[in-house]
Amino acid sequence: MKRVAALYDIHGNGFALQAVIEELEKRSVDTVVIGGDVVWGSQPRAVMDRLQTLQETIKVYFIRGNADREVYEYSQVGFYCKSDDR
């Protein structure tokens, strides 16, 4: 029987993600679905690095959340501040 885990709303929390991944490894999970809102938070690089490493041993599927969409959109147009926004 396949074991599937669904992780949602990580929000850049690398410490919590690591704790969850350790539990997944104990339970021999075959597939992980990441349900969005991955990087918007305090440790975005650590979270993405850890998820990329996880993909080496477990099948991982990503669903883009609203925060992920915003990060992507900002990356396409760049961050800026108009003088009247201050």
Side-chain angles (χ1 to χ4, degrees), residues 34-38 62-70 72-73:
I34 306 293
D37 297 342
V38 175
F62 290 88
I63 300 170
R64 188 183 324 171
N66 62 310
D68 304 316
R69 183 187 66 247
E70 290 173 15
Y72 174 76
E73 289 171 359

Side-chain angles (χ1 to χ4, degrees), residues 9-43:
D9 297 311
I10 298 168
H11 288 287
N13 188 335
F15 299 117
L17 176 62
Q18 182 58 36
V20 170
I21 289 174
E22 289 171 8
E23 285 298 314
L24 298 179
E25 290 169 344
K26 289 178 189 175
R27 298 172 191 276
S28 302
V29 170
D30 302 300
T31 303
V32 176
V33 176
I34 306 293
D37 297 342
V38 175
V39 297
W40 202 266
S42 62
Q43 300 172 301

Side-chain angles (χ1 to χ4, degrees), residues 11 21 24 36-37 44 47-48 53 58-59 64 73 78 80 84:
H11 288 287
I21 289 174
L24 298 179
D37 297 342
V47 165
M48 288 309 296
T53 301
I58 297 174
K59 187 172 288 231
R64 188 183 324 171
E73 289 171 359
Y80 67 93
D84 59 340

